[in-house]
Amino acid sequence: MVKFEQIKGFVFDLDGVIADTSVYHAKAWRQLAEKLGVTWTDDLADRLKGISRMDSLNMILNAGGIESNYTETEKELFATEKNANYLKLLKNMDSTEILPGIVDFIRDLEEHNYKLSLASASKNSPFVLKRLGLDMYFKNKVDPTTLKHGKPDPEIFARGAEVLNLKPSECIGIEDAKAGVQSINSAGELSIGIGNAEILSEADINFASTGELTLENIKKALNSQINVD
Ligand code: B16
Ligand code: MG
């Protein structure tokens, strides 16, 4: 197990970790799914977290058994429609959408000279960060349009360490999605799962909410694991 003292950087997911936008993604997908006659379930909503736009659409069509009913051009139109719905929901977005404890945590990381990067699958992430007033903290970002594979593939979190000039073993990745935790783990970083610990059982450390995300709590969690091992 990695020691707390080895850690030099933090790689953040955006939707569901920094901001409460995962509910807006779910709302916009639900609108489209129901229009296409696909039953919306909590399980489907969970599986979509962290998954790229086109992969999410394919997952929804698959869940309804209608993946072969549409051409690629029609799928592109559906994805564009979902994004337009999503952006409508973000219309009045501001810093009040930042999840609890996140600003204090980021400031604390900066104060202690940790490096920060962003590993969000969302093409909207630069816009969202700007609206939240947090873009100045994330100069180092992985551009999701340059990725060959989406989460759970390790590529995005591996690149999140790379943009910081750090080794994966020197980084902690923070995620709210099962696919995201799997990406962090297979990139060789230490994973923190935010949310349902049963769904995120593969995470090295679990916190029920971002409010628990402090350097002190991370240190405590890591030290208690070392003592048990
Ligand atoms: P977009 P994250 C992910 O962001 C969301 O969790 C997922 O719901 C969304 O489909 C994906 O970004 C793509 O987003 O359509 O805005 O490009 O959790 O990786 O920050
Ligand atoms: Mg997320």
Side-chain angles (χ1 to χ4, degrees):
M1 176 59 68
V2 175
K3 288 204 188 86
F4 183 76
E5 290 68 32
Q6 277 169 250
I7 300 301
K8 296 183 179 153
F10 284 78
V11 187
F12 281 77
D13 175 46
L14 173 66
D15 298 309
V17 168
I18 293 177
D20 210 2
T21 37
S22 56
V23 290
Y24 297 138
H25 276 295
K27 220 175 190 174
W29 279 127
R30 183 177 186 158
Q31 255 171 284
L32 181 72
E34 289 179 345
K35 180 179 142 179
L36 298 174
V38 177
T39 310
W40 187 258
T41 61
D42 288 347
D43 174 59
L44 181 57
D46 269 319
R47 285 192 291 121
L48 291 176
K49 282 185 186 168
I51 305 299
S52 74
R53 203 178 299 170
M54 276 318 274
D55 287 351
S56 296
L57 175 65
N58 283 322
M59 228 180 225
I60 289 169
L61 296 178
N62 241 305
I66 53 170
E67 64 275 23
S68 50
N69 292 10
Y70 301 102
T71 62
E72 287 310 308
T73 316
E74 284 170 320
K75 287 188 193 176
E76 287 290 346
L77 287 173
F78 290 148
T80 306
E81 182 181 329
K82 180 268 170 176
N83 197 50
N85 290 340
Y86 175 65
L87 290 176
K88 252 187 234 161
L89 294 168
L90 295 192
K91 213 173 68 193
N92 300 317
M93 182 184 223
D94 58 22
S95 60
T96 58
E97 305 274 349
I98 300 174
L99 283 164
I102 287 294
V103 173
D104 287 344
F105 182 53
I106 288 174
R107 288 202 182 126
D108 204 27
L109 293 180
E110 287 245 311
E111 225 163 83
H112 288 86
N113 295 317
Y114 287 100
K115 293 178 169 181
L116 267 66
S117 72
L118 192 78
S120 168
S122 176
K123 294 176 186 160
N124 294 301
S125 56
F127 165 76
V128 171
L129 277 181
K130 209 170 203 141
R131 289 294 288 270
L132 297 174
L134 295 178
D135 48 332
M136 68 281 208
Y137 294 112
F138 293 95
K139 300 254 154 44
N140 299 299
K141 290 191 274 292
V142 179
D143 175 358
T145 64
T146 63
L147 297 172
K148 289 200 184 69
H149 307 286
K151 299 170 187 177
D153 188 276
E155 188 179 12
I156 189 166
F157 274 94
R159 292 266 299 280
E162 228 172 79
V163 295
L164 298 177
N165 293 316
L166 294 177
K167 293 186 214 131
S169 58
E170 294 171 323
C171 294
I172 290 183
I174 311 174
E175 262 289 348
D176 69 316
K178 188 180 169 82
V181 167
Q182 290 170 338
S183 173
I184 299 173
N185 289 347
S186 46
E189 293 162 21
L190 204 121
S191 55
I192 296 183
I194 305 290
N196 188 322
E198 261 172 53
I199 296 172
L200 305 177
S201 59
E202 290 156 88
D204 296 307
I205 299 172
N206 289 92
F207 292 136
S209 80
T210 51
E212 293 172 31
L213 208 45
T214 63
L215 280 171
E216 202 48 46
N217 283 346
I218 295 170
K219 198 173 177 176
K220 241 190 264 166
L222 281 181
N223 287 343
S224 70
Q225 287 180 4
I226 288 167
N227 292 338
V228 169
D229 289 348

